[in-house]
């Protein structure tokens, strides 16, 4: 064996001259694959951690905007906005103003004020024996069945306090009665009556809709 032969080569190779091949270990693919997999895992953990931090600083809204909007849309579909009601104007309503109290002149003064607000006035006077001194609240509103959701609410918006609305199925025509009771003092102020009437024609949103709005829907 030559002195230039690398140890362990068993004399199979003889190196001559001033250059000789350098012996290297073959690359190990297993380590390379492991290194790549480890890098991917580390990057994935970093990305997941970044998303968690975003959720912390944004209150968890960053990744749920689309789903939140979808839920709000479902809620809106389940609870549609109130529909405006069509009610008769005061000029389309004829009112009989009747006094069921011992105070004189109450029916006339009330009828005059209702007329200023656009109502047509029918009979004005004392209540019949059936109701005289028997209306303990502010007033009793009487009318045909069809007036329950039309004329009576409009007339009722002109008063405040304990009101009783009563339909008389056998009654015909469109005229309604305002029977003044023991607790009646005067009509509601014109601005308050207008607000009450506006609330009837344009109902406020339901509580479920309000809650949805409060949650950012």
């Amino acid at each position: 064996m030559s002195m230039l032969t690398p140890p362990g080569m068993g004399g199979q190779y003889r190196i001559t001259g001033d250059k000789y091949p350098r012996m290297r270990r073959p690359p190990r693919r297993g380590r390379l694959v492991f290194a790549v997999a480890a890098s991917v895992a580390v990057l994935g953990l970093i990305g997941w951690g970044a998303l968690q931090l975003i959720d912390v600083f944004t209150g968890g809204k960053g990744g749920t905007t689309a789903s939140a909007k979808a839920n709000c849309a479902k809620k809106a579909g389940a609870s549609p906005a109130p529909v405006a009601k069509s009610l008769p104007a005061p000029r389309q309503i004829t009112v009989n103003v009747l006094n069921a109290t011992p105070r004189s002149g109450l029916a006339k003064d009330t009828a005059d004020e209702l007329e200023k607000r656009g109502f047509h006035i029918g009979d004005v006077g004392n209540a019949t024996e059936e109701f005289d001194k028997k209306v303990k609240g502010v007033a009793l509103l009487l009318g045909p069945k069809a007036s329950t959701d039309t004329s009576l609410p409009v007339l009722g918006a002109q008063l405040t306090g304990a009101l009783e609305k009563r339909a008389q199925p056998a009654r015909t025509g469109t005229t309604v009665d305002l029977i003044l009771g023991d607790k009646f003092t005067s009509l509601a102020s014109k601005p308050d009556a207008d607000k009450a009437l506006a609330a009837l024609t344009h109902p406020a949103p339901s509580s479920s809709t309000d809650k949805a709005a409060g949650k950012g829907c």
Side-chain angles (χ1 to χ4, degrees), residues 119-144:
F119 289 88
H120 284 288
I121 304 301
D123 296 333
V124 178
N126 294 326
T128 61
E129 185 179 354
E130 180 183 0
F131 301 107
D132 189 31
K133 299 180 181 61
K134 297 176 183 178
V135 179
K136 302 304 179 182
V138 173
L140 171 62
L141 279 60
L142 297 177

Side-chain angles (χ1 to χ4, degrees), residues 1 66 78 105 139 187:
M1 179 185 300
L187 295 175

Side-chain angles (χ1 to χ4, degrees), residues 136-158:
K136 302 304 179 182
V138 173
L140 171 62
L141 279 60
L142 297 177
K145 185 176 181 180
S147 67
T148 303
D149 297 321
T150 55
S151 301
L152 291 185
V154 176
L155 180 58
Q158 310 303 313

